[in-house]
Amino acid sequence: KAKQKIPEWYDQLGLIWPSTLSMEQCSSQTTAAYKASLVSGKVMADLTGGFGVDTYYLSKYFQEAFHIESNESLQKIAAHNFSQLESKIQSLNLTAEQFLQRQDQTFDLLYLDPARRDDQKKKVVFLEDYAPNVIDLLPQLLERSKHVLLKTSPMLDIKKAISDLSYVAEVHVVSVKNEVKELLFVIYKSSSHPTLIKSVNLASDQPEFQFLLEQEAATTAKLGESDQFLYEPNASILKSGAFNQVAKQFELKKLDRNTHLYTSEQRVANFPGRVFQVIGELSLNKKRLKKQFKKDQANITVRNYPMSVAEIRKKTGLKEGGSDYIFACTELGARKLLLCEKVK
């Protein structure tokens, strides 16, 4: 896990590795480095330090850094590792609340990655159920720090979280190789709406996509039939809810109001997602399909369609794989199976 997730630490002799759960919950080197690129200053504190990966990378941009962890065993492991890594991070075995009560200094950044499991180790969904409860703690955090950076589960409802937190300046939807890993909420006491949403797909050559939350609500995408090229936004954009803004910014038509696929006659450059050329339309009838499509395998994607991928494979007999792509989707109210080839 360490070799894949934190290669810089994996190459360092003398580190102690925590439990499997702690390794699963900690940030990767890739996402931690991205967080660190967003902030800088004199003093920071990670109030939910855990194994310390985020603390370590964030600390590189600050003169002084604190790692706060309530689990004594995990805190001792992190403190040992910081020493091995020749980091000057100060690690303390305290809760976030205890640390804030003890310290009367102000900070340039307070960072939190709250626990997302309850006392029975079950995952919780809502921000108010995280530990510590950031909603209750936020006034105190903003009194003590210029910036608060909050990491949450990618499953969190972005609009509800913005409403709950009140002072959100930016939301970063962070994917690695097109898998959404985390949401980051950048909070300033002086922040006023609208909130900027940024979608990033790390470890890829795709550009960042950003929009203002109020822009999405005020935009209506043009609808149209599939043309020469088909576009599938990356996972971060889909999570961000930029369904109309992605159409507007790239001057694309949307296949249907609830079908998050886009089309154009001429290929647009630098699209943050997959791009396909539309070859034709297929029938779901097995006999007709065999005449139209001579191969026995294809990559199938379902978007706003009444059947699952498994159901389509069972009905058509198509196996997974190959270089051909089939999009089962709704286009202007009609059910379509679009045969495509990937161009990006």
Side-chain angles (χ1 to χ4, degrees), residues 183-205:
L183 304 179
L184 302 175
F185 293 83
V186 181
I187 305 169
Y188 306 154
K189 190 173 184 179
S190 60
S191 174
S192 59
H193 293 288
T195 301
L196 181 66
I197 313 291
K198 295 186 178 183
S199 300
V200 296
N201 187 18
L202 305 177
S204 79
D205 60 354

PDB file of all heavy atoms in Angstrom, residues 183-205:
ATOM      1  N   LEU A 183     -13.102  15.618  -1.489  1.00  0.00           N
ATOM      2  CA  LEU A 183     -13.566  16.987  -1.686  1.00  0.00           C
ATOM      3  C   LEU A 183     -12.812  17.880  -0.715  1.00  0.00           C
ATOM      4  O   LEU A 183     -12.622  17.523   0.447  1.00  0.00           O
ATOM      5  CB  LEU A 183     -15.069  17.095  -1.411  1.00  0.00           C
ATOM      6  CG  LEU A 183     -16.003  16.180  -2.207  1.00  0.00           C
ATOM      7  CD1 LEU A 183     -17.451  16.412  -1.784  1.00  0.00           C
ATOM      8  CD2 LEU A 183     -15.847  16.391  -3.701  1.00  0.00           C
ATOM      9  N   LEU A 184     -12.377  19.039  -1.194  1.00  0.00           N
ATOM     10  CA  LEU A 184     -11.684  20.010  -0.355  1.00  0.00           C
ATOM     11  C   LEU A 184     -12.498  21.293  -0.302  1.00  0.00           C
ATOM     12  O   LEU A 184     -12.862  21.847  -1.347  1.00  0.00           O
ATOM     13  CB  LEU A 184     -10.290  20.313  -0.911  1.00  0.00           C
ATOM     14  CG  LEU A 184      -9.331  19.131  -1.063  1.00  0.00           C
ATOM     15  CD1 LEU A 184      -8.051  19.586  -1.741  1.00  0.00           C
ATOM     16  CD2 LEU A 184      -9.029  18.501   0.291  1.00  0.00           C
ATOM     17  N   PHE A 185     -12.768  21.771   0.899  1.00  0.00           N
ATOM     18  CA  PHE A 185     -13.507  23.008   1.094  1.00  0.00           C
ATOM     19  C   PHE A 185     -12.554  24.054   1.654  1.00  0.00           C
ATOM     20  O   PHE A 185     -12.004  23.877   2.746  1.00  0.00           O
ATOM     21  CB  PHE A 185     -14.677  22.788   2.048  1.00  0.00           C
ATOM     22  CG  PHE A 185     -15.746  21.885   1.490  1.00  0.00           C
ATOM     23  CD1 PHE A 185     -15.609  20.500   1.561  1.00  0.00           C
ATOM     24  CD2 PHE A 185     -16.877  22.406   0.879  1.00  0.00           C
ATOM     25  CE1 PHE A 185     -16.574  19.662   1.037  1.00  0.00           C
ATOM     26  CE2 PHE A 185     -17.856  21.579   0.350  1.00  0.00           C
ATOM     27  CZ  PHE A 185     -17.700  20.196   0.422  1.00  0.00           C
ATOM     28  N   VAL A 186     -12.333  25.124   0.879  1.00  0.00           N
ATOM     29  CA  VAL A 186     -11.475  26.223   1.303  1.00  0.00           C
ATOM     30  C   VAL A 186     -12.374  27.286   1.914  1.00  0.00           C
ATOM     31  O   VAL A 186     -13.253  27.842   1.232  1.00  0.00           O
ATOM     32  CB  VAL A 186     -10.684  26.797   0.111  1.00  0.00           C
ATOM     33  CG1 VAL A 186      -9.769  27.922   0.571  1.00  0.00           C
ATOM     34  CG2 VAL A 186      -9.883  25.699  -0.582  1.00  0.00           C
ATOM     35  N   ILE A 187     -12.147  27.584   3.207  1.00  0.00           N
ATOM     36  CA  ILE A 187     -13.062  28.434   3.968  1.00  0.00           C
ATOM     37  C   ILE A 187     -12.322  29.664   4.486  1.00  0.00           C
ATOM     38  O   ILE A 187     -11.288  29.542   5.148  1.00  0.00           O
ATOM     39  CB  ILE A 187     -13.671  27.630   5.144  1.00  0.00           C
ATOM     40  CG1 ILE A 187     -14.354  26.344   4.620  1.00  0.00           C
ATOM     41  CG2 ILE A 187     -14.659  28.483   5.923  1.00  0.00           C
ATOM     42  CD1 ILE A 187     -14.737  25.363   5.702  1.00  0.00           C
ATOM     43  N   TYR A 188     -12.861  30.854   4.173  1.00  0.00           N
ATOM     44  CA  TYR A 188     -12.336  32.124   4.673  1.00  0.00           C
ATOM     45  C   TYR A 188     -13.463  32.823   5.437  1.00  0.00           C
ATOM     46  O   TYR A 188     -14.600  32.832   4.968  1.00  0.00           O
ATOM     47  CB  TYR A 188     -11.902  33.070   3.543  1.00  0.00           C
ATOM     48  CG  TYR A 188     -10.929  32.531   2.546  1.00  0.00           C
ATOM     49  CD1 TYR A 188     -10.883  33.058   1.254  1.00  0.00           C
ATOM     50  CD2 TYR A 188     -10.035  31.506   2.860  1.00  0.00           C
ATOM     51  CE1 TYR A 188      -9.975  32.601   0.309  1.00  0.00           C
ATOM     52  CE2 TYR A 188      -9.135  31.037   1.925  1.00  0.00           C
ATOM     53  CZ  TYR A 188      -9.108  31.580   0.652  1.00  0.00           C
ATOM     54  OH  TYR A 188      -8.217  31.114  -0.271  1.00  0.00           O
ATOM     55  N   LYS A 189     -13.127  33.446   6.545  1.00  0.00           N
ATOM     56  CA  LYS A 189     -14.158  34.174   7.287  1.00  0.00           C
ATOM     57  C   LYS A 189     -14.689  35.337   6.478  1.00  0.00           C
ATOM     58  O   LYS A 189     -15.862  35.703   6.564  1.00  0.00           O
ATOM     59  CB  LYS A 189     -13.595  34.657   8.616  1.00  0.00           C
ATOM     60  CG  LYS A 189     -14.661  35.218   9.547  1.00  0.00           C
ATOM     61  CD  LYS A 189     -14.098  35.532  10.911  1.00  0.00           C
ATOM     62  CE  LYS A 189     -15.205  35.998  11.856  1.00  0.00           C
ATOM     63  NZ  LYS A 189     -14.683  36.280  13.211  1.00  0.00           N
ATOM     64  N   SER A 190     -13.833  35.938   5.657  1.00  0.00           N
ATOM     65  CA  SER A 190     -14.230  37.104   4.869  1.00  0.00           C
ATOM     66  C   SER A 190     -14.857  36.727   3.531  1.00  0.00           C
ATOM     67  O   SER A 190     -15.205  37.587   2.734  1.00  0.00           O
ATOM     68  CB  SER A 190     -13.014  37.996   4.611  1.00  0.00           C
ATOM     69  OG  SER A 190     -12.008  37.274   3.904  1.00  0.00           O
ATOM     70  N   SER A 191     -14.998  35.412   3.285  1.00  0.00           N
ATOM     71  CA  SER A 191     -15.493  34.965   1.991  1.00  0.00           C
ATOM     72  C   SER A 191     -16.965  35.320   1.812  1.00  0.00           C
ATOM     73  O   SER A 191     -17.770  35.221   2.727  1.00  0.00           O
ATOM     74  CB  SER A 191     -15.323  33.449   1.861  1.00  0.00           C
ATOM     75  OG  SER A 191     -15.915  32.975   0.675  1.00  0.00           O
ATOM     76  N   SER A 192     -17.288  35.747   0.609  1.00  0.00           N
ATOM     77  CA  SER A 192     -18.682  35.989   0.258  1.00  0.00           C
ATOM     78  C   SER A 192     -18.988  35.186  -1.001  1.00  0.00           C
ATOM     79  O   SER A 192     -18.111  34.936  -1.808  1.00  0.00           O
ATOM     80  CB  SER A 192     -18.937  37.481   0.014  1.00  0.00           C
ATOM     81  OG  SER A 192     -18.112  37.956  -1.036  1.00  0.00           O
ATOM     82  N   HIS A 193     -20.219  34.804  -1.143  1.00  0.00           N
ATOM     83  CA  HIS A 193     -20.603  34.016  -2.314  1.00  0.00           C
ATOM     84  C   HIS A 193     -20.476  34.861  -3.568  1.00  0.00           C
ATOM     85  O   HIS A 193     -20.497  36.080  -3.498  1.00  0.00           O
ATOM     86  CB  HIS A 193     -22.030  33.502  -2.137  1.00  0.00           C
ATOM     87  CG  HIS A 193     -22.145  32.506  -1.023  1.00  0.00           C
ATOM     88  ND1 HIS A 193     -21.649  31.243  -1.111  1.00  0.00           N
ATOM     89  CD2 HIS A 193     -22.673  32.607   0.216  1.00  0.00           C
ATOM     90  CE1 HIS A 193     -21.889  30.589   0.027  1.00  0.00           C
ATOM     91  NE2 HIS A 193     -22.507  31.409   0.845  1.00  0.00           N
ATOM     92  N   PRO A 194     -20.313  34.295  -4.733  1.00  0.00           N
ATOM     93  CA  PRO A 194     -20.502  32.874  -5.052  1.00  0.00           C
ATOM     94  C   PRO A 194     -19.253  32.024  -4.811  1.00  0.00           C
ATOM     95  O   PRO A 194     -18.141  32.543  -4.770  1.00  0.00           O
ATOM     96  CB  PRO A 194     -20.838  32.911  -6.545  1.00  0.00           C
ATOM     97  CG  PRO A 194     -20.093  34.103  -7.045  1.00  0.00           C
ATOM     98  CD  PRO A 194     -20.148  35.113  -5.948  1.00  0.00           C
ATOM     99  N   THR A 195     -19.486  30.732  -4.665  1.00  0.00           N
ATOM    100  CA  THR A 195     -18.420  29.774  -4.432  1.00  0.00           C
ATOM    101  C   THR A 195     -17.844  29.294  -5.765  1.00  0.00           C
ATOM    102  O   THR A 195     -18.581  28.979  -6.696  1.00  0.00           O
ATOM    103  CB  THR A 195     -18.957  28.568  -3.643  1.00  0.00           C
ATOM    104  OG1 THR A 195     -19.498  29.034  -2.401  1.00  0.00           O
ATOM    105  CG2 THR A 195     -17.850  27.558  -3.367  1.00  0.00           C
ATOM    106  N   LEU A 196     -16.522  29.230  -5.825  1.00  0.00           N
ATOM    107  CA  LEU A 196     -15.838  28.720  -7.012  1.00  0.00           C
ATOM    108  C   LEU A 196     -15.660  27.214  -6.881  1.00  0.00           C
ATOM    109  O   LEU A 196     -15.157  26.733  -5.865  1.00  0.00           O
ATOM    110  CB  LEU A 196     -14.475  29.396  -7.161  1.00  0.00           C
ATOM    111  CG  LEU A 196     -13.627  28.996  -8.377  1.00  0.00           C
ATOM    112  CD1 LEU A 196     -14.302  29.437  -9.676  1.00  0.00           C
ATOM    113  CD2 LEU A 196     -12.220  29.573  -8.274  1.00  0.00           C
ATOM    114  N   ILE A 197     -16.062  26.455  -7.891  1.00  0.00           N
ATOM    115  CA  ILE A 197     -15.898  25.000  -7.904  1.00  0.00           C
ATOM    116  C   ILE A 197     -14.796  24.649  -8.893  1.00  0.00           C
ATOM    117  O   ILE A 197     -14.851  25.064 -10.055  1.00  0.00           O
ATOM    118  CB  ILE A 197     -17.201  24.282  -8.326  1.00  0.00           C
ATOM    119  CG1 ILE A 197     -18.413  24.846  -7.557  1.00  0.00           C
ATOM    120  CG2 ILE A 197     -17.064  22.777  -8.111  1.00  0.00           C
ATOM    121  CD1 ILE A 197     -18.457  24.538  -6.101  1.00  0.00           C
ATOM    122  N   LYS A 198     -13.812  23.888  -8.429  1.00  0.00           N
ATOM    123  CA  LYS A 198     -12.718  23.455  -9.291  1.00  0.00           C
ATOM    124  C   LYS A 198     -12.690  21.929  -9.363  1.00  0.00           C
ATOM    125  O   LYS A 198     -12.709  21.259  -8.343  1.00  0.00           O
ATOM    126  CB  LYS A 198     -11.373  23.969  -8.765  1.00  0.00           C
ATOM    127  CG  LYS A 198     -11.233  25.476  -8.790  1.00  0.00           C
ATOM    128  CD  LYS A 198      -9.819  25.901  -8.399  1.00  0.00           C
ATOM    129  CE  LYS A 198      -9.657  27.412  -8.471  1.00  0.00           C
ATOM    130  NZ  LYS A 198      -8.257  27.825  -8.148  1.00  0.00           N
ATOM    131  N   SER A 199     -12.647  21.408 -10.578  1.00  0.00           N
ATOM    132  CA  SER A 199     -12.564  19.960 -10.796  1.00  0.00           C
ATOM    133  C   SER A 199     -11.195  19.634 -11.358  1.00  0.00           C
ATOM    134  O   SER A 199     -10.802  20.167 -12.401  1.00  0.00           O
ATOM    135  CB  SER A 199     -13.648  19.504 -11.780  1.00  0.00           C
ATOM    136  OG  SER A 199     -14.933  19.814 -11.279  1.00  0.00           O
ATOM    137  N   VAL A 200     -10.471  18.754 -10.672  1.00  0.00           N
ATOM    138  CA  VAL A 200      -9.130  18.378 -11.126  1.00  0.00           C
ATOM    139  C   VAL A 200      -9.029  16.865 -11.234  1.00  0.00           C
ATOM    140  O   VAL A 200      -9.622  16.126 -10.449  1.00  0.00           O
ATOM    141  CB  VAL A 200      -8.031  18.914 -10.183  1.00  0.00           C
ATOM    142  CG1 VAL A 200      -8.009  20.434 -10.182  1.00  0.00           C
ATOM    143  CG2 VAL A 200      -8.208  18.391  -8.763  1.00  0.00           C
ATOM    144  N   ASN A 201      -8.273  16.412 -12.225  1.00  0.00           N
ATOM    145  CA  ASN A 201      -8.035  14.988 -12.437  1.00  0.00           C
ATOM    146  C   ASN A 201      -6.524  14.768 -12.432  1.00  0.00           C
ATOM    147  O   ASN A 201      -5.863  14.913 -13.467  1.00  0.00           O
ATOM    148  CB  ASN A 201      -8.663  14.534 -13.760  1.00  0.00           C
ATOM    149  CG  ASN A 201      -8.597  13.026 -13.941  1.00  0.00           C
ATOM    150  OD1 ASN A 201      -8.402  12.280 -12.986  1.00  0.00           O
ATOM    151  ND2 ASN A 201      -8.750  12.571 -15.173  1.00  0.00           N
ATOM    152  N   LEU A 202      -5.978  14.485 -11.252  1.00  0.00           N
ATOM    153  CA  LEU A 202      -4.535  14.340 -11.096  1.00  0.00           C
ATOM    154  C   LEU A 202      -4.033  13.080 -11.791  1.00  0.00           C
ATOM    155  O   LEU A 202      -4.794  12.149 -12.043  1.00  0.00           O
ATOM    156  CB  LEU A 202      -4.179  14.313  -9.611  1.00  0.00           C
ATOM    157  CG  LEU A 202      -4.672  15.505  -8.771  1.00  0.00           C
ATOM    158  CD1 LEU A 202      -4.309  15.316  -7.304  1.00  0.00           C
ATOM    159  CD2 LEU A 202      -4.121  16.813  -9.302  1.00  0.00           C
ATOM    160  N   ALA A 203      -2.741  13.055 -12.068  1.00  0.00           N
ATOM    161  CA  ALA A 203      -2.093  11.938 -12.769  1.00  0.00           C
ATOM    162  C   ALA A 203      -2.703  11.730 -14.150  1.00  0.00           C
ATOM    163  O   ALA A 203      -2.832  10.604 -14.635  1.00  0.00           O
ATOM    164  CB  ALA A 203      -2.176  10.650 -11.939  1.00  0.00           C
ATOM    165  N   SER A 204      -3.114  12.823 -14.771  1.00  0.00           N
ATOM    166  CA  SER A 204      -3.642  12.790 -16.130  1.00  0.00           C
ATOM    167  C   SER A 204      -3.204  14.079 -16.825  1.00  0.00           C
ATOM    168  O   SER A 204      -2.692  14.999 -16.185  1.00  0.00           O
ATOM    169  CB  SER A 204      -5.169  12.693 -16.146  1.00  0.00           C
ATOM    170  OG  SER A 204      -5.750  13.958 -15.899  1.00  0.00           O
ATOM    171  N   ASP A 205      -3.428  14.146 -18.127  1.00  0.00           N
ATOM    172  CA  ASP A 205      -3.077  15.361 -18.865  1.00  0.00           C
ATOM    173  C   ASP A 205      -4.290  16.269 -19.068  1.00  0.00           C
ATOM    174  O   ASP A 205      -4.257  17.196 -19.874  1.00  0.00           O
ATOM    175  CB  ASP A 205      -2.464  14.988 -20.225  1.00  0.00           C
ATOM    176  CG  ASP A 205      -3.423  14.184 -21.104  1.00  0.00           C
ATOM    177  OD1 ASP A 205      -4.516  13.821 -20.625  1.00  0.00           O
ATOM    178  OD2 ASP A 205      -3.065  13.905 -22.263  1.00  0.00           O
TER     179      ASP A 205
END
